[in-house]
Amino acid sequence: MSNWILVVDDDMLNLRVAEDILISKGMEVTCKASGEEALLFLQDNKPDLVLLDIHMQGIDGLETLKEIRKRHELDRIPVIFLTADEDSETETTGLTMGASDFIKKPFVPEVLYVRVRNTIELNRLQNNLSSEVIRKTAEIVKQQARIERMSLQIVQTLSSVIDAKDTYTEGHSERVAEYSKEIAKRAGFSEKDQNSIYIMGLLHDVGKIGIPDSIINKPGSLTEEEYDVIKRHPVVGAHILKNITEFPELVTGARWHHERYDGMGYPDGFSGGNIPVEARIICVADAYDAMTSRRSYRNILTQEIVKLEIEKGKGTQFDPFFADIMLAMIEEDKEYKMKQ
């Protein structure tokens, strides 16, 4: 299947260069010289991806993207901005508005092609996720045991794909799921609820599919604007999982695992018992694994520091009851095996 790309740029040379590069890679290309032309074209056409210049006469790229995102039928088409700027503020604004990536001009042919191809593939994975899980769930009616095992393998594989976006957190979702299940077990949850929390833990970061790799893998600390983009992932994750009606609880772990017990978390600012209990459990497990995993800017924290941080977060970041269970698990881990 040939990918169809809409290229929008008011510079005829840029249009021709992008067209030649993509056609040489076997892609179909349609070129438009303004935002107005692009919006008119999109009324009756749905390309696989839009390459959109930021600075154009008339409607600029940011305004064109805003109009595209207003149309429900176009909401899932990925948009990559084209720019010669080095303006990080404009880049952050574009990403916050829903752009998938930025490509610098003048074009490097292989970079242009690879980013276009990868963005299309990632977008298809995101769009197909809900329907695929629903289809698998329907088969459980006929072959319950076999499909349950298969579904778990699919979710585990998907969690591995999510973790693979981050160079420094391989296995993160699996560990969070295991820690969450153990906390639930010690808290007296039924085996069924323990297994549900395990699945929620595996998919709690599914929204990172929609966050650019350049931000997820940035060495060192994020800027405030980049952090705002990262903070979108709980909402993106909930949007991906919301249509899986056979397992509506999946949304819980994805949307609310960054809420804080004191109400200072995100995305909804819930506090205390208003935060779903599963999310309160995953919050502790997620924070623990973050501290016991390597990062570009630091190594794994010592067990003593991790204990102090969880103790300090009781009643502010964490539900005190589940924080105490996590502290008991740490205390029992004499050889410090619970780490990346």
Side-chain angles (χ1 to χ4, degrees), residues 31-50:
C31 294
K32 298 297 176 183
S34 69
E36 291 87 345
E37 289 184 25
L39 293 173
L40 185 62
F41 174 79
L42 289 169
Q43 288 181 359
D44 300 310
N45 299 277
K46 291 182 67 175
D48 296 300
L49 181 140
V50 178

Side-chain angles (χ1 to χ4, degrees), residues 183 280-289 318-319 322-323 326:
I183 293 171
R280 280 179 270 153
I281 290 174
I282 293 171
C283 174
V284 178
D286 187 38
Y288 175 84
D289 189 68
F318 310 123
D319 182 316
F322 298 123
M326 188 78 248

Side-chain angles (χ1 to χ4, degrees), residues 99-255:
S100 298
D101 206 347
F102 275 71
I103 295 177
K104 301 295 183 184
K105 296 188 285 188
F107 305 125
V108 177
E110 196 60 29
V111 171
L112 176 65
Y113 166 65
V114 169
R115 289 198 177 182
V116 166
R117 182 198 64 193
N118 288 353
T119 299
I120 290 173
E121 291 177 354
L122 187 59
N123 188 62
R124 283 176 178 155
L125 171 64
Q126 180 176 338
N127 290 341
N128 291 336
L129 176 61
S130 293
S131 59
E132 177 65 12
V133 175
I134 291 170
R135 185 179 70 81
K136 292 299 180 184
T137 304
E139 294 178 5
I140 293 176
V141 176
K142 296 180 179 180
Q143 298 174 317
Q144 184 73 29
R146 184 180 69 85
I147 299 302
E148 281 182 355
R149 290 193 297 270
M150 184 185 301
S151 296
L152 179 57
Q153 291 169 1
I154 290 170
V155 171
Q156 288 171 327
T157 301
L158 178 58
S159 73
S160 298
V161 171
I162 298 163
D163 289 349
K165 280 179 66 70
D166 190 333
T167 307
Y168 299 98
T169 57
E170 181 179 0
H172 168 71
S173 296
E174 179 70 34
R175 291 190 298 273
V176 170
E178 290 175 354
Y179 300 151
S180 298
K181 182 177 181 179
E182 180 62 22
I183 293 171
K185 178 181 178 181
R186 296 184 181 216
F189 284 60
S190 68
E191 185 174 349
K192 178 182 178 182
D193 288 340
Q194 291 172 39
N195 291 333
S196 293
I197 289 174
Y198 178 81
I199 300 297
M200 291 181 211
L202 284 176
L203 293 178
H204 77 284
D205 268 345
V206 68
K208 287 186 176 178
I209 285 176
I211 305 301
D213 292 358
S214 59
I215 293 181
I216 289 179
N217 290 309
K218 179 183 176 181
S221 301
L222 298 175
T223 65
E224 184 177 344
E225 292 79 10
E226 289 167 338
Y227 184 52
D228 285 339
V229 175
I230 282 284
K231 286 168 67 176
R232 292 172 47 216
H233 81 270
V235 175
V236 174
H239 180 74
I240 291 171
L241 299 174
K242 69 180 182 180
N243 292 323
I244 305 177
T245 56
E246 295 296 329
F247 199 163
E249 298 89 346
L250 284 177
V251 171
T252 299
R255 184 175 184 98

